[in-house]
Amino acid sequence: MPATHEVTNQVPPLTGYDVADYPALLEGLRREGAGWAEADLRALGTLAGGEQAQEWGRLVEKYPPVLRTHDRFGHRVDEVDFHTHWHDLMTVAVENGLHAAPWRDRRPGAHVARAAKMFVWGQTDPGHLCPISMTYAAVPALRVEPTLAADFEPLLTASVYDYGLREPSGKRGLIAGMSMTEKQGGSDVRANTTRATPNSDGTYTVVGHKWFTSAPMSDLFLTLAQAPGGLTCFLLPRVLPDGTRNALRLQRLKDKLGNRSNASSEIEYDNAIGWRVGEEGRGVPTIIQMVNLTRLDCAVGSASGMRQGVAQAVHHATHRDAFGARLIEQPLMVNVLADLAIEAEAATVVGMRLAGAVDRAIAGDEHEAMVRRVGLAVTKYWVCKRAPAHAAEALECLGGNGYVEESGMPRLYRESPLPSIWEGSGNVAALDSLRAMAKQPESVEAFFAEVDLAAGTDARLDNAVARVRKELSHFDDIQYRARRIVESMALVLQGSLLVRHGHPAVADAFCASRLDSDWGVAFGTLPTGIDTTTIIERAKPRGGDFDA
């Protein structure tokens, strides 16, 4: 081969490492009461960082699912064909309890352990975690109807992935989907026109069209429809108890920006049969139990993507020479990498704190329930909103190599906007935060009680908290100011947690940048005097097949 094609200065693949070996994640796991899960988390992290699982993730996105509406004879089949590695990813997720383990394993910290596993395994392929998240969130919604819960909860929580179109009670494990939005309403589900008519046997006949249905290959779907008593939640199986197919017609799969391994669909309920979940007219309060949990997965998923992005960026800079030195030794790149690392740590710390709040709220702690309600609302808005900018900057750290599909960074970039859109886009999330505070003023008290645990520790944090109090002291143009208010609340929550629990270098840098008024707009605008060496060292991937 000619010497002109000698390959030099290329970065070794980031593979063969433990994805779970991330200080912010492991510290949060232990702090929030799930240290008992660390060995399992690390085993999953080693699998996630291995070449095999990374290849699974690459292939399922490269070869997305395909809809088959009819068989060769013209019979309606409404099936989705997946790449074989989709089922491999799903199997690992279910066997590790990502779908529903906390509902059967009620040890303190069970929801924290699951969130940490979602964080780790999501770095293989986020798409397959959509049905995993739906299944997790479906269980408390089903418990509104004890008979249905008794029938299906044992199968929804079983640690067996049993793919295939069969009657639910005859399967070893079930996956649940969600079918709420319609083309005329989107997030405004009260505008739904799908109708549900009661039958003499206690079932309902459902007729209507759903614009987005998550995971159409699922065994069961929670859906919203207008019953005689108003908007109501229903459970519809793909296969009815008598073994016949329910009339759920898959019209088409969405051609999406990202999340391409996951089949998102439009479906038609053509006189489909369903069971009521909760009282007629109580559909939104019933389904909101599901939404609150999937919003936690949105925040954790965004934090996971940030971690993946900064790991790739730091790894690249560690091994790449430019202008006479390693990239990681060059001051401006150091500023960018440290800034990305701070954002990822802050997102991880607050995600683990809120998973802990879920645990304690479910156990009956009313204060933690209030922290979860308002803390999750503001965090879902801010962390998910930051993810696309973070992914773009991480991609740019790799230069032109990052813009090439083989790097995996374009896939991360395409995926990054989804959590901000899913379960209520930015405006919906911001307004929901205000709604939560208006309906439950005690949630505001709980929020400030949480951030005030760090009072007096850092003057920059104290001043930022005072500004938030002032923003909430008057209600003029409050909807117009919603994003500003919610952003400020999310930042002081992150700052408080980092000051109390984070590494001092990260906490100082966060307060100096995010909470002081001279913070720049782009990543890489940290002020001087920051301990960037420690911050970047915490962000380095560990234990890989690459050179240290």
Side-chain angles (χ1 to χ4, degrees):
M1 180 178 292
T4 56
H5 197 69
E6 181 183 357
V7 177
T8 62
N9 197 27
Q10 283 291 327
V11 176
L14 177 55
T15 188
Y17 72 109
D18 179 2
V19 175
D21 193 358
Y22 177 41
L25 179 68
L26 295 177
E27 291 161 7
L29 183 82
R30 300 163 191 151
R31 185 172 57 249
E32 297 298 333
W36 50 265
E38 185 169 339
D40 287 346
L41 180 66
R42 283 182 171 275
L44 186 63
T46 300
L47 183 60
E51 186 175 353
Q52 181 188 59
Q54 290 182 1
E55 182 68 358
W56 290 352
R58 185 186 73 83
L59 290 172
V60 296
E61 202 236 9
K62 184 176 178 62
Y63 302 103
V66 176
L67 172 63
R68 288 188 296 114
T69 56
H70 296 78
D71 67 14
R72 59 181 290 212
F73 304 107
H75 302 124
R76 188 97 198 195
V77 293
D78 297 293
E79 283 284 2
V80 178
D81 293 333
F82 291 88
H83 192 283
T84 184
H85 290 320
W86 166 273
H87 302 298
D88 292 326
L89 290 162
M90 288 288 290
T91 297
V92 172
V94 171
E95 289 180 350
N96 280 271
L98 276 67
H99 67 309
W103 308 120
R104 66 174 189 270
D105 179 1
R106 301 186 182 184
R107 281 179 288 180
H111 292 271
V112 177
R114 177 196 169 270
K117 289 181 177 181
M118 290 284 284
F119 182 101
V120 164
W121 191 240
Q123 293 179 47
T124 60
D125 165 64
H128 79 285
L129 294 187
C130 174
I132 295 296
S133 181
M134 297 293 100
T135 305
Y136 168 63
V139 172
L142 271 187
R143 288 177 175 176
V144 174
E145 205 64 49
T147 301
L148 293 176
D151 288 342
F152 296 117
E153 183 173 331
L155 292 170
L156 288 168
T157 59
S159 56
V160 179
Y161 175 60
D162 189 1
Y163 183 78
L165 187 65
R166 300 192 302 281
E167 197 275 316
S169 66
K171 300 186 72 174
R172 296 174 297 156
L174 301 177
I175 296 295
M178 184 165 63
S179 183
M180 292 199 298
T181 59
E182 299 182 9
K183 51 182 172 287
Q184 75 283 351
S187 295
D188 184 8
V189 294
R190 295 189 185 278
N192 284 6
T193 60
T194 296
R195 296 287 169 182
T197 304
N199 301 315
S200 59
D201 62 357
T203 63
Y204 285 71
T205 298
V206 182
V207 177
H209 183 265
K210 293 294 179 178
W211 192 233
F212 275 94
T213 293
S214 300
M217 70 294 170
S218 300
D219 300 291
L220 305 167
F221 297 92
L222 282 166
T223 193
L224 292 175
Q226 299 287 354
L231 192 64
T232 304
C233 183
F234 295 92
L235 182 71
L236 283 77
R238 282 188 71 200
V239 179
L240 294 168
D242 64 4
T244 61
R245 294 188 179 205
N246 208 355
L248 281 64
R249 312 302 187 199
L250 304 186
Q251 302 298 83
R252 63 170 176 167
L253 301 184
K254 298 290 192 180
D255 186 7
K256 299 172 294 184
L257 170 67
N259 203 245
R260 298 182 69 84
S261 69
N262 177 39
S264 299
S265 64
E266 295 174 30
I267 69 170
E268 194 80 26
Y269 291 130
D270 185 13
N271 291 306
I273 300 300
W275 301 290
R276 179 172 48 80
V277 181
E279 300 175 10
E280 286 192 5
R282 298 285 297 169
V284 171
T286 300
I287 208 76
I288 204 68
Q289 298 181 68
M290 193 173 187
V291 171
N292 282 337
L293 290 171
T294 49
R295 283 180 175 173
L296 173 64
D297 286 352
C298 289
V300 170
S302 288
S304 173
M306 289 184 193
R307 167 55 187 161
Q308 186 176 9
V310 75
Q312 290 283 357
V314 170
H315 174 73
H316 180 86
T318 299
H319 295 274
R320 181 79 165 178
D321 290 325
F323 307 109
R326 289 288 173 99
L327 282 173
I328 202 164
E329 298 168 355
Q330 304 196 26
L332 189 52
M333 179 59 82
V334 166
N335 196 321
V336 172
L337 294 174
D339 214 353
L340 291 171
I342 292 162
E343 195 74 26
E345 280 220 30
T348 303
V349 168
V350 75
M352 296 304 288
R353 169 66 182 96
L354 291 170
V358 169
D359 254 310
R360 292 182 281 274
I362 290 173
D365 189 320
E366 293 185 6
H367 171 77
E368 289 291 290
M370 291 297 101
V371 171
R372 177 186 72 165
R373 180 65 181 95
V374 69
L376 184 53
V378 301
T379 296
K380 194 275 182 188
Y381 168 79
W382 178 241
V383 170
C384 297
K385 188 62 68 181
R386 290 293 286 165
H390 192 279
E393 195 67 59
L395 180 155
E396 193 171 330
C397 288
L398 278 65
N401 291 320
Y403 203 68
V404 174
E405 286 290 341
E406 288 171 317
S407 72
M409 300 303 282
R411 176 159 62 112
L412 178 67
Y413 182 61
R414 288 193 299 271
E415 190 71 28
S416 61
L418 178 59
S420 186
I421 297 168
W422 194 28
E423 305 300 22
S425 54
N427 284 353
V428 172
L431 293 172
D432 181 61
S433 302
L434 298 184
R435 187 179 304 111
M437 292 184 283
K439 290 183 68 175
Q440 295 176 301
E442 63 271 28
S443 67
V444 183
E445 298 173 11
F447 175 84
F448 282 112
E450 176 72 19
V451 299
D452 284 346
L453 291 172
T457 308
D458 190 294
R460 297 161 297 189
L461 175 61
D462 291 341
N463 292 335
V465 173
R467 291 194 296 270
V468 173
R469 290 185 189 274
K470 184 177 180 181
E471 286 276 10
L472 289 172
S473 66
H474 62 98
F475 293 91
D476 298 338
D477 300 322
I478 194 165
Q479 286 200 19
Y480 184 81
R481 294 185 293 119
R483 287 192 175 211
R484 179 184 181 89
I485 293 170
V486 171
E487 175 183 324
S488 299
M489 293 178 69
L491 287 170
V492 299
L493 178 58
Q494 288 181 327
S496 171
L497 291 168
L498 286 171
V499 166
R500 290 163 54 204
H501 306 302
H503 191 283
V506 178
D508 174 64
F510 185 92
C511 292
S513 55
R514 276 70 172 163
L515 301 183
D516 260 5
S517 59
D518 62 348
W519 184 29
V521 175
F523 284 104
T525 56
L526 294 173
T528 57
I530 300 299
D531 183 2
T532 54
T533 301
T534 298
I535 294 169
I536 293 173
E537 187 62 32
R538 286 173 61 83
K540 285 183 177 179
R542 294 170 171 82
D545 298 334
F546 43 85
D547 294 331

